[in-house]
Structure formats: C-alpha cells, structure tokens
Amino acid sequence: MFTTAHPDSSLAASSYAPAYDRSKLSTGIVHFGLGNFHRAHQAMYLDRLMGKGLAFDWGICGVGVMPQDAKMRDVMTSQDGLYTLVLKHSDGTLEPRVIGSISNYLFAPDDPSAVLDVMADPATHIVSLTVTEGGYNIDDETGEFKTTSPGAVHDAEHRDSPQTAFGFIVQALARRRERGVPPFTVMSCDNLPGNGNIARTAVLAQARMADPELAEWIEAKVAFPNCMVDRITPVTTPEDIEHVAGEFGLHDGWPVTAEPFEQWVLEDRFTDGRPPFEDAGVQMVDDVVPYELMKLRLLNASHQSLAHWGRLIPQVFAHESAADADIQAFTRAYLDREALPTLRPVPGIDLPSYVNTLFERFTNAGIADTLARLAQDASDRMPKFVLPTVRDNLAAGRSVELGAAMCAAWALGCEGRAEDGSQIVVDDQQGEALVAAAARQKDGEDTAFVSNELVFGSLGQDPRFVEAFTGALKAIREKGARAVLRELVS
C-alpha cells in the first residue's frame, strides 16, 4: 500500500534531516517488528542520542518476519532507512522530524541467513521486539509458550532457517555460544505486563524444544529487562503521506504520526552493554512493575473502554469518545473505582494527575486515532488490560460492575451492528470464534461470549462476574449504551 515514487527521496536533503553523519552508524541493535510504534518511540530515542553525538555504534537493523513486512522493506530500502515522524500537538501545531537511527532493514523470508549473521555479530548487543501483544505465542490462561504452534515446531526442526522472531533469537544465541561471543540482551518493548519475563519464557521454551543445554545457558547468561512504553501512534493513512509531501516537501512512502507525549521506563539490566538511554530521557529503574501496571490498567484499559462503548453508539475516532461526556464519565469512574485500587504506589507519579493527563491526550483531535484500531485484536488486549483488574477485584471482594459492563459492550459489538444499524467490523485473530459466540449470545445464550476460555479463562464460571456481565448485556439491549453508561456512574 505504501510505496514511494521517489527512490532517492527528498528526506536526506531536507531541512528536517538528521544533522549528524549517518555514514558513521553501525548496527548495535537488531529490532523485530519495525512498525509505526517502534519508529515513533525507540528509534526516535536513539536518533535523539545520535543528534547529541552519542551512540553511533547503536544503529538499528530492522527485521521483518511476516509477509506484510515486505512493504516496510521496500520503503526502508528506497529511503535509506530514513522516515518522517510528525508530532501532532493538540493546538494543531505539526512538528516534523526525519529520523535517521535505522541503519539497515532485512526482510527475513528473503534471506534468513543474513538475519542470523547480523544477530550473531559481536557488534550486536541488543535484540529488541515490538511484535504486538499476540506475537509472543503465549497461552493467556496458562502463561506457557505454545510449543505445538506451527512456527515453533518449524523453528525447532529447521534451526538455520527460522520463521519466527523467537526462532531467530534462539539460533543466533546458539551461534554466539558456539563462537564464544557474549550473548545479546533481549529487550521486549511491547504493551505486556512483564514483557521481558514473557520474552524470556518464549525464548527459553523455543530453545528447549531443540537444545535443552542451550536453554540452560540462555537462562543463566541472557538479560530480559522489563519496560513500560507509551506514545499514542495511529496507523499511517494515505492522507498522512500526501500531507507530509504537500506541507513539508517530504516524499515519504511511510511516515509516522504521533502525539507529543512520550514515556519509556526501562529496567537497567543488560547482558553486554547499552546506549546511554538516560541521556535521551528514558527512565532507568530497578523495578518497572508499578509503572507498567499503571499504564496497562489505566491508559490501555481506557482505550478499550473508548473503543467498545464508542463503536456501539457509534463513533469513529478516539478523541470523539474521549470527549463524549457519558463515555468519559464511565471511563473515569472505572479507573477510580476499579482500576486504581489494584495498583501499587508508583514512584514519582501522582496517579490522579496521570489520569487527567490521559484525557488531555485522548482528546487530541490531531491524532485522529480510530476506535477500530483500538478495538483490533481485543481478544489479546482485554485479557491483558482489563481482565486482570477484574480478577484482582473479585479476589479482594470489590465490585466488578464497570469492568463487566465494558466486557458486555465488547460482546455486543462482536454481534456486528452498532445501535444505528451500521456495521461493526471485528478485526481480531480470534474473530471467527468471537463472532460465532456473539451470534449464540444474540440468540439468547447470554454466557456464550464469556465462556470462551481462551479469552476469559475461568471468569465465565465466576457467578459474580457472570451476573454483572449478563445484567449489563440485558440493560444495554433494552435501554441503549448511553442510558446504561449514565446509570452506571450515577
């Protein structure tokens, strides 16, 4: 979809281009999943360091393993790794900047050996990932790596031609071990609680499938720091591409837009060195758990609330839903009554102020983040952002009324129609199962949706949750989403 008619690009020659000499860059980080978020976040932080004359040996080699990543290969190759990041301020101000920290891009299906070569190179010290919440091949209920998945089985049997990020990581570490090269750090940057721990689980399980001794070595030698990342980064649209060209004269096949807010809280645990991240504004900490829970259970859960209520009403953009008095009141009530009581103290953060900041960010119309994007793969997101709060409150004997109602709004959306009769598209890796369960729900089987154990685990058998869920489901059907929102916060 995104291609450029200007192979040499205008990016390097523009006034927005990096002022540093990119010929000095060498690869120190290999990154899987070079999507918009990585390019608006981690790659931006490295570019900031390079702009200060630092970290030239920490250039990023992006790697794509999915068929759709061929588009990124084409754009990054034609633009010499350069791309435009445009910050959209709430007052309408646009702040463009050409990012130069990506030194190379490899599309793994083209040449798996080339990817393994750069990962096994002693100059590579970090392998990082933004492969989405569902990309870790982890069973949500058990927390175990799915060793029977086709990708995992293939990579265990064909170690020199892996297909998944974790197959590449395991084989590259095997080569480093054989050659006496120190292992790299594996740094997950995905929106997952304990993302480093989850990456560790995935890598060790993949390694054990083919070489248990290698798994023991990885367990003893490799660091998997946890981190919390935050910046709202919508999908790039054709209009974004045209606007960047027309407004700034930058012919960019795949620019990125983002909000001005940025946050990266990172545990300072690295196997073989790291860039001076703190000089770019990264918060280096000993324990990231309080920060990640804050973000996951407040910001990410709020996004789910906006998405599922907003699509029922119906609305299109996140800023519409965030500014809607009824949805905002419900979401704030959910955060105050059900989410905040489950959090630990967060050093240096005033939580009520943090919540207010969220709504300032959400109502930034310049971002134009869609509810469809926020609702995408909700079967992965709800179990990570909302259902843990529900479980904690059930365990503590507290109310789950609002969390259950949010689940009911999601379930009704999966029936495929908004309240005005317009279509709601279910874009989810479990979409077929969700739609089938929602159809049974529509036919009168009120617990069909929450009986999906892959999503809800044992919650579908908890009478307190089921009562709250089915009550909300019935109320929304009878009275409409807006009336129920008002009742729930009254």
Side-chain angles (χ1 to χ4, degrees):
M1 178 178 176
F2 302 122
T3 59
T4 177
H6 304 266
D8 296 326
S9 183
S10 61
L11 301 178
S14 78
S15 60
Y16 307 105
Y20 53 86
D21 183 357
R22 294 183 73 238
S23 69
K24 295 180 179 179
L25 295 187
S26 60
T27 296
I29 299 173
V30 171
H31 183 83
F32 284 87
L34 200 77
N36 277 15
F37 181 75
H38 172 74
R39 295 190 296 148
H41 197 268
Q42 295 94 37
M44 179 278 301
Y45 279 101
L46 268 296
D47 178 83
R48 183 178 290 167
L49 287 176
M50 292 163 185
K52 295 182 176 184
L54 305 171
F56 288 106
D57 51 349
W58 293 97
I60 299 167
C61 175
V63 175
V65 297
M66 304 297 289
Q68 59 266 32
D69 293 329
K71 299 173 185 175
M72 186 63 73
R73 170 202 60 196
D74 295 342
V75 171
M76 288 289 99
T77 300
S78 69
Q79 298 178 180
D80 192 27
L82 295 169
Y83 62 93
T84 311
L85 171 62
V86 180
L87 304 186
K88 294 187 172 182
H89 294 265
S90 58
D91 64 359
T93 302
L94 300 178
E95 185 182 346
R97 167 180 173 188
V98 174
I99 303 295
S101 56
I102 296 173
S103 55
N104 193 14
Y105 186 85
L106 299 174
F107 182 54
D110 285 345
D111 190 354
S113 63
V115 177
L116 289 171
D117 285 346
V118 71
M119 294 177 72
D121 192 306
T124 295
H125 303 286
I126 295 173
V127 172
S128 54
L129 306 101
T130 47
V131 293
T132 75
E133 295 90 349
Y136 286 77
N137 195 34
I138 297 289
D139 185 292
D140 286 328
E141 179 69 8
T142 67
E144 299 296 322
F145 186 74
K146 300 175 186 176
T147 55
T148 59
S149 70
V153 171
H154 174 277
D155 289 357
E157 295 176 350
H158 305 87
R159 296 178 64 186
D160 288 321
S161 56
Q163 296 178 343
T164 73
F166 298 107
F168 276 104
I169 289 170
V170 168
Q171 183 59 9
L173 286 170
R175 293 187 181 186
R176 293 173 81 104
R177 180 185 178 219
E178 292 167 2
R179 299 169 187 175
V181 176
F184 45 67
T185 296
V186 178
M187 185 176 71
S188 168
C189 297
D190 278 295
N191 281 321
L192 292 164
N195 51 16
N197 298 334
I198 291 172
R200 183 176 183 271
T201 294
V203 170
L204 290 177
Q206 183 70 60
R208 289 191 191 102
M209 292 176 68
D211 188 343
E213 288 187 5
L214 173 63
E216 291 180 7
W217 180 81
I218 293 172
E219 189 169 17
K221 300 291 186 181
V222 178
F224 294 85
N226 295 298
C227 75
M228 185 270 268
V229 296
D230 192 4
R231 170 167 265 178
I232 298 172
T233 310
V235 172
T236 301
T237 66
E239 291 75 21
D240 290 326
I241 296 173
E242 294 173 7
H243 189 260
V244 165
E247 183 77 12
F248 307 114
L250 298 169
H251 299 284
D252 190 332
W254 203 332
V256 185
T257 63
E259 64 170 338
F261 181 91
E262 62 184 57
Q263 189 173 24
W264 189 3
V265 184
L266 177 60
E267 288 179 351
D268 201 356
R269 294 190 292 112
F270 289 79
T271 307
D272 188 31
R274 64 169 176 82
F277 285 127
E278 60 272 28
D279 291 341
V282 181
Q283 296 169 257
M284 306 302 299
V285 300
D286 294 327
D287 181 11
V288 78
V289 169
Y291 300 91
E292 68 183 7
L293 286 178
M294 172 189 75
K295 194 256 182 166
L296 294 166
R297 296 193 179 190
L298 300 183
L299 182 143
N300 294 116
S302 294
H303 272 163
Q304 293 303 294
S305 179
L306 301 182
H308 301 308
W309 290 110
R311 297 221 295 174
L312 278 182
I313 283 176
Q315 295 160 342
V316 175
F317 294 103
H319 63 266
E320 292 180 86
S321 298
D324 183 289
D326 296 321
I327 296 178
Q328 182 176 142
F330 170 89
T331 306
R332 284 182 177 272
Y334 167 79
L335 298 180
D336 184 54
R337 299 178 194 174
E338 297 186 14
L340 283 169
T342 71
L343 299 182
R344 293 163 44 179
V346 186
I349 301 291
D350 178 80
L351 290 173
S353 296
Y354 178 82
V355 169
N356 289 333
T357 300
L358 291 182
F359 284 91
E360 292 173 10
R361 296 167 61 192
F362 294 159
T363 52
N364 182 347
I367 297 301
D369 205 2
T370 66
L371 299 180
R373 186 189 79 86
L374 299 182
Q376 185 181 38
D377 286 329
S379 67
D380 273 319
R381 295 178 175 186
M382 290 289 282
K384 295 175 176 68
F385 305 153
V386 176
L387 300 187
T389 294
V390 171
R391 291 190 175 93
D392 282 357
N393 284 323
L394 288 171
R398 294 188 293 260
S399 173
V400 296
E401 180 183 41
L402 302 182
M406 195 192 310
C407 293
W410 173 34
L412 285 167
C414 288
E415 293 182 5
R417 293 291 169 189
E419 292 184 343
D420 68 351
S422 61
Q423 184 181 14
I424 294 178
V425 175
V426 179
D427 183 5
D428 195 293
Q429 59 182 354
Q430 287 200 44
E432 186 175 340
L434 295 176
V435 169
R440 300 201 313 274
Q441 170 185 273
K442 188 176 181 179
D443 288 339
E445 188 182 341
D446 285 349
T447 60
F449 198 81
V450 295
S451 295
N452 184 335
E453 293 187 357
L454 289 175
V455 176
F456 288 92
S458 60
L459 281 175
Q461 285 76 53
D462 188 297
R464 294 166 295 171
F465 174 73
V466 171
E467 181 181 3
F469 172 85
T470 56
L473 198 68
K474 180 180 179 181
I476 298 169
R477 287 193 193 283
E478 293 179 352
K479 304 174 185 178
R482 194 172 291 283
V484 172
L485 285 168
R486 291 172 180 170
E487 288 181 0
L488 287 169
V489 300
S490 62

